[in-house]
Amino acid sequence: MATTVVPDTAKNRRVGILAAGGALAMLGLGYASVPLYRLFCQVTGYGGTTQRADAVTAAGVKIAGKVVTVRFDANVARDMPWEFKPMQVKQEVRIGERQIARYYARNLANRKVTGTAIFNVSPEQAGKYFNKIECFCFTEQTLQAGQDVPMPVIYYVDPAILDDPAAKDIEEITLSYTFNETHESLAAAAQKPVSQPMEKPLDPARARR
């Protein structure tokens, strides 16, 4: 005689609750991972991520005798209608010394365009020692049709780099930027104005009636 299996409702309910809780936890982790990853990169310089310093902190940095070469690189995304380039190829700077470099940007489109710059330095080991005090990359940049502007960045290399066995022998650092158009700017460009229907000219024959 076959035995009837009675489902354990309470057990199934517990399993369902645990599965739902796990899914919500994974979803929350996914949302948290982006800012946590950014914080990790900023603290460690991972991937060549540069640091941000205020003017007060920079003023207290002692200038070392060692000189490094800083090279400058500029790029735009494939669909970004800007010309963007460094105004100097390289600079020779003493470690700890504040220096200003300038980039140049021009909007080639016949509309307003807003962009944001992503950045990094190479070699990656230099990322956590490359400090920016002021930079166009801190905020979105908007250029009107045909507008061109200089874009400065004030930076220094932290003397702590000389105490890092993996970075103390670095002689050249490349600072690279890539501009991308913001989603809002792209969305505004995609909106086409609604054309008004043209009024038909009056038939001369009907006008004489």
Side-chain angles (χ1 to χ4, degrees), residues 36-47 49-51 128:
L36 287 175
Y37 179 76
R38 288 177 180 170
L39 179 61
F40 171 75
C41 291
Q42 290 172 355
V43 172
T44 64
Y46 181 77
T49 303
T50 61
Q51 309 302 300
K128 62 181 177 179

Side-chain angles (χ1 to χ4, degrees), residues 63-79:
I63 299 175
K66 183 177 178 179
V67 174
V68 294
T69 300
V70 179
R71 290 187 175 273
F72 303 94
D73 179 55
N75 308 276
V76 293
R78 184 173 56 182
D79 56 350

Side-chain angles (χ1 to χ4, degrees), residues 72-121:
F72 303 94
D73 179 55
N75 308 276
V76 293
R78 184 173 56 182
D79 56 350
M80 181 74 172
W82 279 13
E83 177 187 3
F84 177 56
K85 62 184 179 181
M87 298 178 70
Q88 63 285 299
V89 176
K90 64 180 181 179
Q91 290 178 333
E92 306 291 331
V93 297
R94 289 188 293 170
I95 291 179
E97 176 186 18
R98 282 178 289 178
Q99 185 61 271
I100 182 169
R102 291 178 175 83
Y103 283 74
Y104 168 88
R106 182 184 175 212
N107 182 6
L108 304 176
N110 59 359
R111 60 180 176 86
K112 179 176 69 174
V113 175
T114 299
T116 56
I118 58 175
F119 51 85
N120 74 317
V121 299

Side-chain angles (χ1 to χ4, degrees), residues 120-151:
N120 74 317
V121 299
S122 60
E124 293 184 4
Q125 301 94 311
K128 62 181 177 179
Y129 304 109
F130 197 98
N131 290 266
K132 291 186 238 181
I133 305 167
E134 293 182 18
C135 183
F136 55 86
C137 59
F138 292 162
T139 58
E140 294 181 350
Q141 300 295 323
T142 299
L143 297 184
Q144 301 298 324
Q147 182 182 7
D148 65 291
V149 295
M151 291 187 171

